[in-house]
Amino acid sequence: MSTLARARCQAKAHPLAMDAVLAAAVLICMVAGSFVEPRHRDSVSWALRTPDSLSLVLMALGAAALVFRRRAPMTVLALTGTVSVVESVTGDPRAPVAMSAVVALYTVASTTDRLTTWRVGLLTMTVLTGAAMSAGSLPWYAQENLAIFAWTGIGATAGDAVRSRRAFVQAIRERAERAERTREEEARRRVAEERLRIARDLHDVVAHHIALVNVQAGVAAHVMDKRPDQAKEALAHVREASRSALNELRATVGLLRQSGDPEAPTEPAMGLDRLDELTGTFRSAGLHVEVARADQGTTLPAAVDLAAYRIIQEALTNVQKHAGPQAKAEVSLVHVGPNIEITVLDDGSGEHETQDRGGGHGLLGMRERVTALRGTLTTGPRYGGGFRVHAILPLKTRTPTGEDPA
């Protein structure tokens, strides 16, 4: 830490002591100046003189008042201005008592607003200069009288400049702190969004395959004794579903690696081009699924393609889990104008219809995916039984923040 910085820290820690030092310095300057007498005859010259006792008392009072200039700046200015006026009227020759008033005026200007500085500065300048010009043996245009006018103006101007700079520095500091808080909040928001995205992907992957594993394991346990061939086939489906789950988990976790890792994902990205493979896994688990597509020739952005795949996957998983063993599902994709519409229907029955399938995170994850793409999602029971999931996804993947989620 430099000497100047250390001095500033000490001044902030002990303001009264620093003001006492300043008052002592001002008193020394005033006393030293009171021993010098200017002469204005043929040329400018200086002579020594002895100040009278009243001037010494006024100088001491003015300097002592400066010790409290931070606590009561207006009161200190009024006191120092009063002793300066008394010195202007009684002093012959005058002692520089007005120096204390100039310091007090500087303090007022540096701690108040500009309008108050103008008013108090003009009043102080008028009173001190008027008293100096109208009283004493010197003519009104004497150099000492004009010096009072100039120094009071300099004190007010310097104090206002210091106040303006202090306010400017404070504004910059507050702006920097606000920008830092904004960056931290943005970082936390991005982390939360990334955690939500990872949780959503993991839920979609795990829920789908675990549901298939659960169904096939139940079938195997049911027919193990009577039909071992069918049990063997069900266990093969369990093995295939678990392998697919592990592969998708590996691909999802691979996205969490650092950007400097040399390895790239080798699994193909999930999308509607793998819809047949997806519905095949459900058919092998015993769910009757029909697919109707009217989106031929439509090129989907990566984000929309993935969201469509995940919505169908989650909807069929819910059918598998909640709709009952005899349920049938219908999947339709239609390209309508600037959107692609996805509908998943089932004719299942059970308590899940009255509960609106809202007990888990599946519908919440679908809604978050659709909202991120500025689409719409409608879910709910069908009249006469069953459940309906309808999503409209725009082909332009502009998010609310103006970024491409792909």
Side-chain angles (χ1 to χ4, degrees):
M1 183 182 294
S2 62
T3 305
L4 181 59
R6 189 180 297 107
R8 289 179 178 177
C9 293
Q10 293 178 356
K12 291 181 180 180
H14 307 283
L16 189 62
M18 296 303 298
D19 289 340
V21 173
L22 175 63
V26 172
L27 178 61
I28 293 174
C29 293
M30 289 190 296
V31 172
S34 65
F35 280 91
V36 178
E37 178 184 2
R39 293 180 178 179
H40 305 277
R41 292 181 181 177
D42 298 335
S43 61
V44 178
S45 60
W46 304 89
L48 294 177
R49 67 182 176 88
T50 302
D52 54 23
S53 58
L54 179 60
S55 297
L56 293 175
V57 172
L58 294 177
M59 286 186 288
L61 290 175
L66 294 179
V67 178
F68 307 97
R69 68 187 185 95
R70 297 178 193 262
R71 297 184 178 182
M74 288 293 185
T75 303
V76 171
L77 177 61
L79 180 58
T80 55
T82 300
V83 296
S84 299
V85 170
V86 172
E87 174 63 20
S88 297
V89 174
T90 60
D92 188 20
R94 298 171 188 158
V97 181
M99 184 183 298
S100 60
V102 172
V103 176
L105 179 59
Y106 164 84
T107 304
V108 171
S110 63
T111 55
T112 58
D113 57 279
R114 179 162 296 174
L115 181 59
T116 303
T117 299
W118 275 96
R119 292 175 176 176
V120 175
L122 289 176
L123 178 61
T124 304
M125 186 184 302
T126 302
V127 171
L128 295 184
T129 307
M133 290 183 175
S134 60
S137 58
L138 297 175
W140 67 270
Y141 53 85
Q143 181 179 356
E144 288 80 358
N145 298 336
L146 298 179
I148 294 177
F149 178 84
W151 280 109
T152 50
I154 291 174
T157 304
D160 183 71
V162 170
R163 179 197 58 79
S164 299
R165 182 183 180 278
R166 189 183 299 130
F168 178 72
V169 172
Q170 181 65 23
I172 292 178
R173 184 180 295 110
E174 292 177 355
R175 190 180 301 114
E177 293 175 354
R178 186 165 55 250
E180 183 66 24
R181 289 195 300 268
T182 303
R183 284 193 294 270
E184 293 177 355
E185 293 173 358
E186 179 67 15
R188 286 194 296 267
R189 183 187 67 82
R190 289 183 178 275
V191 170
E193 290 179 354
E194 184 64 16
R195 292 178 60 186
L196 180 62
R197 184 191 65 80
I198 294 171
R200 189 167 53 228
D201 287 341
L202 290 177
H203 172 272
D204 291 344
V205 171
V206 174
H208 163 60
H209 292 289
I210 294 302
L212 296 181
V213 169
N214 180 56
V215 171
Q216 295 295 345
V219 171
H222 182 69
V223 300
M224 179 68 71
D225 297 331
K226 297 181 180 180
R227 287 173 288 179
D229 293 339
Q230 186 174 354
K232 185 177 181 180
E233 182 182 355
L235 291 176
H237 288 308
V238 168
R239 183 176 57 188
E240 183 65 26
S242 61
R243 183 186 298 112
S244 299
L246 289 175
N247 291 336
E248 289 199 35
L249 282 175
R250 187 180 298 111
T252 302
V253 174
L255 296 177
L256 303 180
R257 294 176 178 173
Q258 298 181 358
S259 60
D261 290 344
E263 297 182 4
T266 57
E267 292 291 329
M270 296 298 176
L272 294 181
D273 56 345
R274 302 183 63 180
L275 181 59
D276 293 338
E277 178 183 344
L278 175 66
T279 55
T281 59
F282 284 101
R283 291 190 183 100
S284 64
L287 177 63
H288 182 74
V289 182
E290 295 182 358
V291 180
R293 301 188 63 170
D295 62 332
Q296 288 76 8
T298 303
T299 301
L300 300 181
V304 177
D305 199 19
L306 176 61
Y309 180 89
R310 293 302 189 192
I311 289 171
I312 296 173
Q313 182 186 50
E314 181 60 34
L316 292 178
T317 301
N318 286 339
V319 175
Q320 184 76 47
K321 292 166 58 178
H322 303 293
Q326 304 300 325
K328 297 180 181 180
E330 299 178 4
V331 179
S332 66
L333 292 95
V334 182
H335 181 193
V336 181
N339 305 318
I340 184 169
E341 297 188 10
I342 304 167
T343 306
V344 180
L345 307 175
D346 70 76
D347 58 356
S349 60
E351 295 181 356
H352 65 281
E353 306 300 346
T354 59
Q355 295 174 358
D356 196 25
R357 299 184 187 177
H361 298 283
L363 295 181
L364 178 61
M366 285 192 287
R367 194 172 303 280
E368 289 170 350
R369 288 186 182 275
V370 174
T371 302
L373 299 174
R374 283 190 166 181
T376 58
L377 178 70
T378 305
T379 61
R382 299 173 60 194
Y383 178 76
F387 202 82
R388 176 178 182 268
V389 175
H390 180 69
I392 302 177
L393 301 178
L395 297 182
K396 293 183 178 180
T397 59
R398 182 178 178 273
T399 63
T401 59
E403 299 176 355
D404 189 350

